């Protein structure tokens, strides 16, 4: 699936209400100005004119301006969970049912709790703090020096990692992008941000997080201007959060809608003589479908259709509520024998039907986008820079002072006076596919290695420095055993200190296995999560071996010794039965532990399990997720759980290493040259599921949804081979 958008915005009604008009002055969407002097009673004056304003809106001319959309975090409820742990399946089932059985009829009683939103509040520094910041800037390192009045430029394109990056690493890092927005908001040397947005290759959870920080930056009163030469739904979602949007005359704009795709290789495998023997537990568990089937199953079609409808509907709602026109109205008021002339600008969003009709027209001309108010104007990059010069009173023959993303990332928070307090909250990041041990050829930053993650969790558990822990997850799953071992360690950690799971783009299957061990789960609105199911299998290569003249014979001892070793023949009936029972047992363990962790009856968990993937919003309504939000909300909840006042600053400590370092890159290159045979062996093992049961979301589906590289590497090889024919 491609082109799926993560949205997190309530509808903004164009009707002006009395109870909300009184807060107009504090919102950037509404501008109330006087040509003579401040009004004596703003609230009373504005309220008294509401009815008259509404009667004039329909006949007032639009003004081309782009307001800051009003987005409010939803106050969602969550349950409190027992942090005790037990790995025995039957005891888990009994205890989960006891927790939830509030009456004889088995009705479920849940403890409700209101969580803080973690919404960013920009606070002006006092005189003494401003003096300290200036002093620190004077003694800052040379690479932290920035000219006063500079514009921060950031180019958002390609892959965006959820991990921290070292200076030797290429690409963008989500933590550093978000940190740059906060630093720029408080940095007196930064006048505003000039954002270049090009096609992104990341998930929608990260896009939502970046958008949230764009809105946070706007609270500082500084400008943020966007330039987009190539734009689809994802890029436009970010752009519409900025003050102004500019595109070149030849821009590639493709707002045509969203699609979902699924590819199938069974026909190809049949032609080459490969027969997949796969056990997948859960009717929605689509992992393995691309190998077993030639067409989409009804269950998979149902799930993907629901995801697409959910995402497309949210996209239309968000765009319709954040893009539209300004309506202008003015009036005069008598004050001290003079007239004070007021002007009131009221933002009126477009209707959802209007946006949908516009999408269905297949508009490709940027002139139409300007006419509809979807962009500010049509300008080249140099013209936008000239406009910024004029805005900042820079002479035309002078160079606009700018600082790029890479250099500004090296500016320390300490220099700008935005360091935290004494209380520390640890953040442990887990990104990529899950494996139990590290491959000899893999880089330290490639995926989640169970044994290394467990070691880090144990260190945090034993440390007295951290008041709470946030486990940041961005994973489609992987090895089921590794997932279970990490689940156990997170449960033990949760017994000693609050643990909050924060989901990024995806935390499905094995990724959800990790998250459900935390006391509270926070997800983005359209994070892909759930997928509680397992898959395992092997390939029967008998026909392929016959075609190429290859033969293999095995001598074994033990009835089931050849269960996974004999790929030259199909499974015997007794072997197939053992294979199926083993997969079913792994699924029951996963499901029952999910029910125990979420304080939910097993029967109720079965209804939302079955390998089905949910969006964060749907998962929250079904008890799989507690709250909707990003890392900032997870920090606020961690403070609440650790009995830290919300207005007290905390220090967030990142425990994940930046990756990769230059020596690690060079080491990886050397290992790759020397170990081709081992690489081929690992690919074959991955192809034949030799590592055991997998708690993994469908690789093909994940690649289509998030445009990432978590898919099975052998499928990429097959794709490259077919494209070369």
């Amino acid at each position: 699936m491609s082109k799926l958008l993560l949205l997190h915005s309530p509808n903004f009604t164009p009707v002006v209400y009395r109870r909300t008009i009184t807060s107009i002055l504090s919102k950037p969407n509404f501008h109330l100005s006087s040509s003579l002097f401040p009004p004596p009673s703003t609230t009373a004056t504005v309220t008294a004119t509401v009815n008259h304003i509404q009667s004039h809106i329909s006949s007032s001319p639009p003004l081309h301006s782009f307001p800051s959309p009003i987005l409010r975090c939803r106050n969602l409820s969550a349950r409190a969970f027992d942090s005790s742990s037990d790995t025995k399946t039957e005891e888990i089932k009994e205890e989960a049912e006891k927790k939830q059985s509030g009456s004889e009829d088995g009705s479920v009683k849940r403890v409700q709790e209101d969580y803080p939103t973690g919404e960013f509040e920009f606070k002006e520094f006092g005189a003494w703090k401003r003096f300290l910041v200036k002093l620190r800037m004077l003694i800052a390192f040379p690479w932290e020096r920035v000219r006063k009045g500079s514009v921060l430029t950031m180019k958002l394109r390609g892959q965006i990692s959820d991990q921290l990056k070292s200076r030797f690493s290429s690409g963008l890092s989500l933590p550093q992008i978000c940190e740059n927005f906060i630093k720029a908001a408080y940095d007196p040397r930064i006048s505003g941000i000039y954002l270049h947005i090009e096609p992104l290759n990341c998930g929608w959870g990260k896009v939502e997080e970046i958008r949230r920080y764009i809105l946070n930056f706007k609270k500082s009163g500084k400008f943020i201007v966007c330039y987009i030469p190539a734009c689809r739904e994802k890029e436009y979602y970010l752009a519409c959060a900025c003050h102004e949007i500019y595109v070149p005359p030849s821009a590639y704009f493709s707002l045509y809608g969203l699609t979902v795709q699924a590819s199938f290789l069974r026909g190809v495998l049949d032609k080459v003589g490969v027969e997949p023997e796969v056990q997948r537990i859960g009717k929605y568990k689509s992992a393995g479908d691309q190998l077993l089937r030639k067409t989409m199953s009804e269950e998979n079609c149902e799930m993907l259709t629901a995801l697409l409808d959910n995402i497309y509907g949210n996209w239309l709602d968000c765009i319709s509520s954040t893009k539209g026109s300004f309506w202008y109205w003015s009036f005069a008021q008598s004050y001290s024998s003079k007239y004070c002339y007021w002007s009131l600008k009221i933002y009126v969003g477009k209707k959802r039907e209007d946006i949908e009709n516009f999408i269905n027209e297949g508009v490709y001309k940027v002139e139409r986008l300007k006419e509809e108010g979807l962009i500010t104007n049509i300008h080249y990059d140099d013209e936008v820079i000239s406009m910024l010069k004029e805005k900042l009173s820079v002479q035309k023959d002078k160079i606009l002072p700018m600082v790029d993303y890479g250099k500004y990332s090296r500016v320390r928070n300490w220099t700008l006076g935005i360091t935290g307090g004494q209380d520390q909250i640890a953040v442990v990041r887990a990104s990529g596919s899950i494996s139990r041990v590290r491959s000899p050829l893999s880089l330290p930053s490639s995926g989640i290695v169970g044994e290394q993650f467990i070691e880090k969790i144990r260190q945090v558990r034993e440390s007295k420095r951290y008041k709470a822990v946030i486990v940041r997850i961005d994973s489609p799953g992987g090895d089921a055993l590794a997932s279970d071992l990490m689940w156990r360690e997170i449960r033990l950690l949760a017994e000693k200190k609050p643990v909050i799971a924060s989901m990024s783009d995806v935390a499905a299957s094995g990724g959800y296995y990790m998250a459900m061990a935390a006391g509270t789960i926070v997800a983005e609105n359209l994070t892909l999560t759930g997928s509680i199911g397992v898959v395992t299998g092997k390939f029967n290569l008998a026909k392929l071996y016959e075609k190429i003249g290859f033969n293999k014979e095995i001598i074994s001892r033990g009835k089931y010794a050849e269960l996974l070793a004999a790929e030259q023949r199909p499974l015997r009936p007794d072997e197939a039965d053992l294979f199926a029972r083993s997969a079913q047992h792994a699924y029951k363990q996963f499901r029952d532990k999910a029910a125990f962790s979420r304080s939910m009856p097993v029967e109720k968990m079965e209804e939302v399990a079955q390998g089905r993937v949910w969006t964060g919003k749907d998962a929250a309504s079904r008890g799989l997720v507690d709250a909707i939000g990003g890392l900032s909300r997870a920090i606020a909840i961690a403070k609440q759980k650790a009995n830290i006042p919300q207005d007290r600053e905390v220090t967030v400590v990142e425990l994940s290493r930046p990756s990769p370092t230059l020596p690690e890159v060079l080491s990886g290159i050397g290992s790759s040259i020397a170990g081709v045979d081992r690489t081929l062996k690992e690919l074959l093992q991955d192809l034949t599921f030799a590592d055991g049961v997998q708690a993994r979301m469908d690789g093909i589906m994940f690649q289509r949804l998030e445009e990432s590289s978590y898919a099975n590497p052998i499928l990429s090889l097959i794709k490259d081979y077919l494209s070369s024919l």
Side-chain angles (χ1 to χ4, degrees):
M1 278 180 286
S2 63
K3 301 186 291 183
L4 296 184
L5 189 62
L6 175 59
L7 307 173
H8 179 51
S9 171
N11 288 330
F12 188 110
T13 176
V15 182
V16 182
Y17 294 95
R18 285 185 173 85
R19 64 178 181 179
T20 59
I21 195 69
T22 57
S23 61
I24 282 177
L25 295 178
S26 63
K27 303 299 181 183
N29 295 57
F30 302 92
H31 305 277
L32 189 61
S33 60
S34 173
S35 58
L36 297 179
F37 37 74
S41 179
T42 301
T43 300
T45 302
V46 176
T47 304
T49 60
V50 171
N51 293 332
H52 193 57
I53 292 172
Q54 290 177 334
S55 64
H56 282 74
I57 284 179
S58 59
S59 59
S60 303
L63 296 180
H64 294 288
S65 180
F66 286 82
S68 166
I70 298 178
L71 297 179
R72 294 183 175 86
C73 297
R74 302 177 183 178
N75 292 323
L76 301 181
S77 299
R79 297 179 308 278
F81 305 103
D82 185 1
S83 60
S84 61
S85 175
D86 196 330
T87 58
K88 296 182 180 180
T89 303
E90 293 302 324
E91 294 181 7
I92 287 174
K93 291 171 62 177
E94 292 176 2
E95 188 168 347
E97 292 173 356
K98 287 179 181 178
K99 288 182 181 181
Q100 289 300 317
S101 298
S103 60
E104 296 181 357
D105 60 358
S107 61
V108 178
K109 293 184 179 180
R110 298 173 179 173
V111 179
Q112 300 294 327
E113 183 176 354
D114 290 332
Y115 286 142
T117 63
E119 185 175 357
F120 173 78
E121 295 182 5
F122 181 79
K123 299 178 180 179
E124 293 281 356
F125 287 163
W128 175 247
K129 191 69 172 289
R130 291 197 299 269
F131 172 76
L132 288 179
V133 170
K134 290 181 179 179
L135 184 62
R136 291 175 180 180
M137 289 179 179
L138 289 176
I139 62 175
F141 294 113
W143 53 82
E144 294 185 277
R145 306 286 173 83
V146 178
R147 287 181 58 185
K148 188 174 182 179
S150 295
V151 175
L152 173 60
T153 61
M154 289 195 290
K155 295 184 178 180
L156 303 182
R157 63 185 174 193
Q159 187 92 19
I160 299 179
S161 172
D162 202 68
Q163 295 280 2
L164 294 171
K165 293 280 189 178
S166 70
R167 68 181 61 183
F168 300 108
S169 304
S170 59
L172 299 171
S173 166
L174 179 66
Q176 290 169 350
I177 291 173
C178 297
E179 185 180 65
N180 280 355
F181 277 112
I182 297 299
K183 290 189 298 186
Y186 285 98
D187 195 337
R189 303 168 298 180
I190 298 297
S191 300
I193 295 179
Y194 184 30
L195 201 62
H196 279 240
I197 302 178
E198 297 195 31
L200 297 170
N201 187 20
C202 68
W204 301 106
K206 296 187 182 74
V207 172
E208 172 66 17
E209 189 86 349
I210 295 173
R211 189 178 194 274
R212 184 178 296 112
Y213 276 84
I214 291 176
L215 298 175
N216 290 342
F217 172 81
K218 291 168 67 175
K219 295 179 181 179
S220 67
K222 300 179 181 180
F223 69 87
I224 178 167
V225 175
C226 173
Y227 181 77
I228 41 177
C231 180
R232 303 187 79 167
E233 289 78 11
K234 186 193 313 180
E235 292 75 26
Y236 186 74
Y237 177 63
L238 278 182
C240 69
C242 300
H243 285 121
E244 299 175 358
I245 304 175
Y246 295 99
V247 302
S250 55
Y252 294 136
F253 251 81
S254 304
L255 299 181
Y256 300 146
L258 308 177
T259 63
V260 58
Q261 303 176 27
S263 302
F264 303 93
L265 292 171
R266 183 58 187 267
V268 177
L269 297 178
D270 287 345
K271 289 185 177 181
V272 299
V274 175
E275 180 185 359
E277 296 178 302
V278 179
Q279 284 291 333
R280 58 188 182 97
I281 310 301
K283 62 181 180 180
Y284 296 103
K285 193 69 178 178
S286 56
D289 267 10
Q290 70 270 28
L291 301 177
L292 286 173
R293 300 179 58 89
K294 295 181 180 180
T295 59
M296 189 181 298
S297 65
E298 293 183 3
E299 293 81 7
N300 194 22
C301 181
E302 175 192 347
M303 178 181 67
L304 297 183
T305 301
L307 288 173
L308 184 61
D309 290 341
N310 193 335
I311 295 170
Y312 188 54
N314 275 275
W315 189 85
L316 290 173
D317 291 338
C318 180
I319 300 303
S320 63
S321 64
T322 57
K323 280 301 162 193
S325 303
F326 268 115
W327 299 91
Y328 177 88
W329 185 78
S330 62
F331 62 95
Q333 175 188 359
S334 175
Y335 178 67
S336 298
S337 302
K338 296 183 180 180
Y339 279 95
C340 176
Y341 294 93
W342 295 71
S343 62
L344 182 64
K345 297 177 181 179
I346 301 177
Y347 174 71
V348 181
K350 288 181 175 293
K351 293 181 180 180
R352 173 187 168 124
E353 295 76 13
D354 295 337
I355 295 294
E356 190 168 13
N357 292 336
F358 180 81
I359 295 297
N360 293 335
E361 288 180 20
V363 176
Y364 58 90
K365 294 182 179 180
V366 293
E367 291 79 10
R368 279 292 311 280
L369 298 171
K370 181 181 177 181
E371 293 175 3
E372 295 291 333
L374 297 179
I375 63 174
T376 306
N377 213 334
I378 303 172
H379 289 304
Y380 286 106
D381 179 46
D382 62 290
E383 294 176 315
V384 178
I385 293 177
S386 298
M387 293 171 59
L388 292 178
K389 285 183 179 180
E390 183 179 356
K391 180 180 182 67
L392 299 175
S393 301
V394 178
Q395 298 180 9
K396 293 183 178 181
D397 57 341
K398 300 294 184 179
I399 298 177
L400 180 68
M402 292 184 175
V403 57
D404 62 19
Y405 162 83
K407 180 179 179 180
Y408 200 68
S409 295
R410 301 171 69 183
V411 176
R412 294 171 297 168
N413 288 328
W414 178 86
T415 304
L416 303 175
I418 52 177
T419 53
Q422 294 182 349
D423 296 322
Q424 297 185 11
I425 295 178
V427 176
V428 181
R429 295 183 181 269
S431 301
S433 187
I434 298 172
S435 60
R436 191 166 57 89
V437 296
R438 179 172 300 285
S439 164
L441 300 180
S442 60
L443 292 174
S445 61
S446 57
I448 305 170
V449 180
E451 59 182 8
Q452 294 183 352
F453 182 86
I454 289 173
E455 180 182 357
K456 189 174 300 183
I457 291 295
R458 287 175 177 174
Q459 291 174 356
V460 175
R461 186 175 74 229
E462 296 169 359
S463 174
K464 297 181 180 179
R465 294 174 53 192
Y466 310 114
K467 297 295 184 65
V469 182
I470 296 174
V471 180
R472 177 75 172 180
I473 302 173
D474 185 22
S475 172
D479 185 85
L481 174 58
S483 302
D484 182 64
L485 296 178
M486 291 187 291
W487 173 86
R488 171 64 177 177
E489 292 298 328
I490 297 174
R491 292 289 300 184
L492 293 176
L493 174 62
E495 292 179 359
K496 298 192 66 175
K497 57 189 66 179
V499 178
I500 313 299
S502 173
M503 297 179 174
S504 183
D505 291 336
V506 59
S509 205
Y512 185 77
Y513 207 134
M514 297 172 60
M516 68 188 190
T520 307
I521 300 178
V522 182
E524 294 288 1
N525 201 30
L526 292 181
T527 293
L528 298 179
T529 188
S531 191
I532 301 173
V534 298
V535 61
T536 185
K538 63 182 288 292
F539 285 121
N540 173 20
L541 306 179
K543 293 183 180 178
L544 176 62
Y545 286 175
E546 183 179 352
K547 287 183 179 181
I548 63 177
F550 180 80
N551 184 39
K552 179 179 180 180
E553 295 184 1
I554 300 176
I555 300 176
S556 62
R557 294 293 182 272
K559 182 178 181 180
Y560 299 106
E562 299 181 12
L563 182 65
L564 297 177
E567 76 275 2
Q568 80 282 5
R569 63 171 178 82
L571 292 173
R572 302 190 309 263
D574 58 331
E575 290 177 327
D577 179 66
L578 176 63
F579 207 53
R581 286 188 284 112
S582 175
Q584 187 67 41
H585 174 70
Y587 169 72
K588 288 182 178 180
Q589 281 190 320
F590 189 178
R591 179 202 61 193
D592 295 346
K593 287 182 180 178
F596 168 72
S597 301
R598 301 301 297 165
S599 299
M600 186 183 297
V602 175
E603 294 76 15
K604 186 69 174 179
M605 178 58 68
E606 179 69 13
E607 295 176 4
V608 297
Q610 291 289 322
R612 179 156 186 168
V613 178
W614 303 97
T615 60
K617 178 182 177 181
D618 288 343
S621 66
R622 288 164 174 81
L624 298 178
V625 168
D626 297 306
I628 299 297
L631 185 61
S632 59
R633 188 168 197 193
I635 293 173
I637 295 175
K639 290 167 66 175
Q640 181 190 53
K641 294 293 185 180
N643 297 319
I644 301 174
Q646 290 297 315
D647 57 352
R648 184 188 298 176
E649 297 293 333
V650 295
T651 298
V652 178
V653 181
E654 292 277 0
L655 299 182
S656 301
R657 289 195 310 168
S659 57
T661 62
L662 181 59
E664 289 168 349
V665 173
L666 297 177
S667 175
I669 295 175
S671 298
S672 298
I673 296 175
V676 176
D677 58 332
R678 285 180 293 175
T679 302
L680 294 176
K681 182 179 180 180
E682 289 173 8
L683 288 177
L684 182 59
Q685 287 177 342
D686 195 26
L687 175 66
T688 58
F689 299 91
D691 290 333
V693 179
Q694 299 285 302
R696 181 190 301 272
M697 191 172 73
D698 185 358
I700 292 294
M701 173 184 152
F702 180 73
Q703 186 178 27
R704 296 302 182 188
L705 274 172
E706 310 298 344
E707 299 181 7
S708 293
S709 56
Y710 293 123
N712 192 316
I714 199 66
L715 302 180
S716 300
L717 295 179
I718 295 176
K719 178 181 178 181
D720 293 339
Y721 170 74
L722 294 177
S723 63
S724 65
L725 295 178

